Amino acid sequence: MITSEKLRRLKRRYKLKRDSDDADWHSHWKDLADFILPRHGRFVDKHTQAGKGDKYKHSKIINGTASRAVSIAVSGLKGGLVPHSLPWLKLSLWDEDMNDWEPAKLWLHDVQQVMYGVFTRSNFYSAVHTPFLEQVVFGTGPFAVYEDPKKMIRCVPWTVGSYTLATDHAGSVDTGFRWYWMTARTVAEQFGLNNCSPHTRNLAEKNPDAQVRVINAVFPRKDYDPNKAGSDNMPWASVYWEDGAPEDSFLKESGFNTQPAMFPRWEVVGEDAYGSNCPGMEMLGDIKMLQKLERDKLASIDKVVNPPMNIPSSFKGRLSLLPNAQNYVNAKENEIIRSTVQITPDIGAVASEIREVENRIRQGFFNDLFLMILEDKNMTATEVARRHEEKLAILGPVLERQNSEFLSPLVDRVFDILMRNGRLPEPPREIQGQEIKVEYTSLLAQAQKAVGTQAIERTAMFAGNLANFNPEVLDRVNFDAMLEEYADLAGADPKMLRSDDEAAEMRQQRKQAQAQQMMMEQASQAAKAAKDLGQTPTGEDTALNGLLDKLPAV
């Protein structure tokens, strides 16, 4: 149970961290939102109600190339990592011998099917779009998974500006503060009217649709006691309170057996809690340049179509420049109307520069790679690796971070929810307590591994070419190690390769068979030679006797 003192410390911690983030990150995130995703992010104070439209939200975007490039990148990431219609994870045991045991294989397969079913029935595939989107543009994409009584899980993505994160000693995010808006009526329904502040209770009765800002803190519980039960004594704590309510009041305290939120980051610099160097951040300069070029181009066209004019003062108030307008003048009004300046802008050059910047933006968001994945559903991971080896090498650390900070915690969280609710089949007694290994089999995961196969293929080809000139060079090549590494990177089933012991036994048998064959051939040749010698004629008219006759006498 959280005490008043602990609650006050928690709220102070949130305020200090939020103020620090406001100074260090929020202005940058706001800039990214304004020029790429105007409707994402929560950058409002506590007095601003949620849901109000803002007609100026898109005022900084004239050319939408960046927004479209983001959509392609996010669709490619989602389709390449967690495709809806294809399997993207495989469960196995770290004990390779047990993986070949039929009951273990059947149980792992059944668990996979249950998990896929939960992902499909829940809102996972629709919600998972957001964390990839937030990472591509803002660098960080928090994603929470809660238990749901009907569909087992309910996924809630967080948007930038609405959260504050903190890391542990290892640099992993272990604390998340999130704020969001609720109506006074829903606050009273979810947390109970008696737990609400007097202000919210009053709103719930008189103005139930008024907005109330709720803050939720999720963090590891330091005083967790495994020998005690209860939602307020779990490894992960969760505390809700109203923003602006009395310091010692809160709405609810609960907990989780496993960390409920994942905090994937595009790239992490030093001890930062937030991701950085994402495509949105790296391309922001080009995106701003593109908008300025578009404005300059439109201004140039406007000056050509509607140039500034010098008009005699006598025409003030009675001159029309509309098509087919008739302006009546008398003989004394001999002044002329003329352009203020002669303008001949090179609009073609501006348009060419715009196209160049647009191409840079698309390349910065890896659109060529992701478009290939989206358009050709039959392309293999090896083909992707061969065509875009360089880009996959750049994305390598990012994809590895998706596994460690997003997909693996996600699978652990869902597995724990299913296990505790009795939705998984009972494992065979022989494998109970063994650790499960998660492998990712999506197209991008396989393509990332396939990049390594290219180096192996080139090495083998080069060694084969050298062997044409010097066969001894093959003595340097460890063909067994090369084959094992290639099969692992290609994602081949381990059963395709025999074990070292089996291979050694087969080679020994082959050597013995070759030795026996050689001995048999030698014996056969010796027998043949003896037989030929025994059948050689010894008469006087033989060639041998002829030779002996020619030898000198001794």
Side-chain angles (χ1 to χ4, degrees):
M1 183 71 179
I2 190 167
T3 63
S4 297
E5 178 58 29
K6 289 181 180 178
L7 180 63
R8 285 192 289 270
R9 287 203 303 266
L10 183 64
K11 290 184 176 181
R12 284 197 297 270
R13 182 187 180 192
Y14 163 68
K15 185 178 185 305
L16 290 172
K17 190 69 175 67
R18 182 196 62 192
D19 293 344
S20 174
D21 290 348
D22 284 346
D24 296 340
W25 291 92
H26 277 224
S27 61
H28 187 35
W29 290 334
K30 182 68 166 57
D31 217 16
L32 291 164
D34 288 343
F35 282 92
I36 305 176
L37 296 174
R39 290 293 170 185
H40 276 253
R42 295 289 182 266
F43 306 103
V44 295
D45 60 31
K46 64 181 180 181
H47 302 296
T48 306
Q49 291 187 348
K52 285 189 175 181
D54 186 349
K55 65 180 180 180
Y56 300 108
K57 277 282 188 180
H58 290 264
S59 61
K60 294 185 178 180
I61 298 179
I62 299 176
N63 186 314
T65 297
S67 300
R68 291 191 293 272
V70 168
S71 297
I72 293 171
V74 174
S75 298
L77 274 175
K78 178 186 174 184
L81 290 176
V82 287
H84 192 173
S85 56
L86 297 172
W88 50 273
L89 67 88
K90 178 184 177 183
L91 301 180
S92 60
L93 300 173
W94 284 100
D95 187 344
E96 296 292 345
D97 294 334
M98 294 302 295
N99 281 326
D100 296 330
W101 188 45
E102 192 65 22
K105 288 194 297 184
L106 292 175
W107 180 80
L108 290 168
H109 178 267
D110 291 343
V111 171
Q112 285 176 205
Q113 296 307 112
V114 172
M115 296 185 74
Y116 280 132
V118 169
F119 286 134
T120 301
R121 290 192 301 272
S122 69
N123 68 329
F124 170 74
Y125 285 108
S126 59
V128 77
H129 180 88
T130 302
F132 292 129
L133 179 67
E134 297 268 332
Q135 286 184 83
V136 168
V137 178
F138 304 108
T140 308
F143 189 75
V145 178
Y146 303 106
E147 293 189 37
D148 185 87
K150 295 181 179 180
K151 299 182 178 180
M152 292 309 301
I153 64 171
R154 176 173 55 88
C155 304
V156 180
W158 300 0
T159 189
V160 69
S162 69
Y163 56 81
T164 291
L165 309 180
T167 58
D168 59 15
H169 68 282
S172 299
V173 177
D174 68 343
T175 301
F177 297 92
R178 174 187 175 235
W179 66 264
Y180 55 99
W181 296 101
M182 299 178 67
T183 64
R185 177 178 63 89
T186 55
V187 173
E189 290 175 352
Q190 179 173 344
F191 301 105
L193 188 63
N194 294 332
N195 294 323
C196 298
S197 66
H199 176 68
T200 301
R201 287 200 297 267
N202 183 57
L203 288 177
E205 295 176 1
K206 298 181 178 180
N207 187 10
D209 293 319
Q211 299 287 333
V212 176
R213 183 159 132 164
V214 175
I215 302 169
N216 175 220
V218 178
F219 54 96
R221 182 176 270 116
K222 294 182 179 180
D223 56 354
Y224 164 65
D225 186 350
N227 297 317
K228 294 182 180 179
S231 61
D232 58 352
N233 180 56
M234 289 185 172
W236 294 88
S238 175
V239 181
Y240 293 85
W241 69 87
E242 299 172 47
D243 191 24
E247 193 176 35
D248 58 349
S249 68
F250 65 96
L251 292 169
K252 180 184 178 182
E253 178 189 8
S254 61
F256 305 95
N257 287 284
T258 53
Q259 188 173 12
M262 298 90 233
F263 302 99
R265 297 167 288 179
W266 189 269
E267 182 180 319
V268 179
V269 178
E271 66 283 357
D272 289 348
Y274 304 97
S276 58
N277 296 334
C278 58
M281 293 181 180
E282 292 185 345
M283 302 311 299
L284 183 58
D286 283 297
I287 294 169
K288 288 183 176 181
M289 181 193 303
L290 179 62
Q291 307 311 320
K292 185 179 186 307
L293 287 170
E294 283 287 357
R295 283 189 171 87
D296 290 345
K297 185 184 74 172
L298 293 174
S300 299
I301 294 173
D302 195 33
K303 287 178 181 178
V304 172
V305 177
N306 298 298
M309 305 293 292
N310 283 358
I311 301 175
S313 59
S314 60
F315 287 98
K316 184 177 181 180
R318 63 186 183 90
L319 179 67
S320 175
L321 297 178
L322 294 175
N324 297 321
Q326 295 180 348
N327 295 292
Y328 297 97
V329 299
N330 55 45
K332 294 181 180 180
E333 293 177 326
N334 58 358
E335 300 179 37
I336 62 172
I337 300 172
R338 65 182 185 276
S339 298
T340 302
V341 293
Q342 294 296 322
I343 301 173
T344 56
D346 190 350
I347 298 176
V350 178
S352 177
E353 181 65 19
I354 287 175
R355 288 193 295 271
E356 183 177 336
V357 176
E358 287 176 338
N359 288 333
R360 287 206 303 266
I361 291 173
R362 294 188 187 100
Q363 291 173 4
F365 284 98
F366 304 96
N367 276 191
D368 48 354
L369 168 64
F370 293 127
L371 277 174
M372 182 182 64
I373 293 174
L374 293 171
E375 292 174 355
D376 191 347
K377 303 297 184 182
N378 297 319
M379 181 164 290
T380 66
T382 303
E383 290 174 318
V384 173
R386 284 174 177 168
R387 296 190 188 184
H388 293 279
E389 181 178 351
E390 180 181 352
K391 292 181 177 61
L392 286 170
I394 295 174
L395 281 174
V398 176
L399 299 179
E400 290 295 331
R401 191 173 289 277
Q402 298 306 306
N403 293 343
S404 62
E405 293 190 345
F406 187 17
L407 299 182
S408 292
L410 169 71
V411 173
D412 290 344
R413 172 71 174 154
V414 174
F415 184 91
D416 177 74
I417 292 174
L418 294 175
M419 180 65 77
R420 285 188 291 100
N421 286 274
R423 297 302 181 94
L424 296 180
E426 186 71 18
R429 181 177 56 83
E430 290 81 357
I431 66 172
Q432 290 184 9
Q434 290 203 24
E435 190 174 357
I436 297 176
K437 178 172 65 174
V438 182
E439 299 179 65
Y440 301 102
T441 59
S442 64
L443 180 62
L444 275 178
Q446 294 182 46
Q448 186 63 35
K449 288 184 176 181
V451 171
T453 65
Q454 309 301 309
I456 296 176
E457 290 179 358
R458 287 193 291 265
T459 301
M461 186 177 299
F462 184 67
N465 292 336
L466 286 180
N468 292 328
F469 304 98
N470 182 8
E472 293 181 354
V473 74
L474 296 180
D475 297 338
R476 296 286 308 281
V477 181
N478 187 336
F479 290 101
D480 286 353
M482 182 179 290
L483 179 60
E484 289 183 2
E485 183 68 12
Y486 192 97
D488 180 63
L489 291 173
D493 191 328
K495 292 184 295 185
M496 291 184 179
L497 300 181
R498 293 187 175 90
S499 67
D500 292 341
D501 293 340
E502 290 176 321
E505 183 178 354
M506 292 181 64
R507 288 166 179 169
Q508 182 63 28
Q509 293 175 353
R510 187 180 300 113
K511 288 181 180 179
Q512 292 176 354
Q514 290 173 348
Q516 292 176 357
Q517 181 68 22
M518 185 178 297
M519 292 175 61
M520 291 175 61
E521 291 178 356
Q522 291 175 349
S524 175
Q525 292 175 358
K528 184 176 182 300
K531 181 180 178 182
D532 293 342
L533 184 61
Q535 293 178 350
T536 302
T538 57
E540 294 182 356
D541 57 344
T542 64
L544 180 60
N545 288 340
L547 290 174
L548 291 175
D549 292 341
K550 297 179 181 180
L551 292 177
V554 179

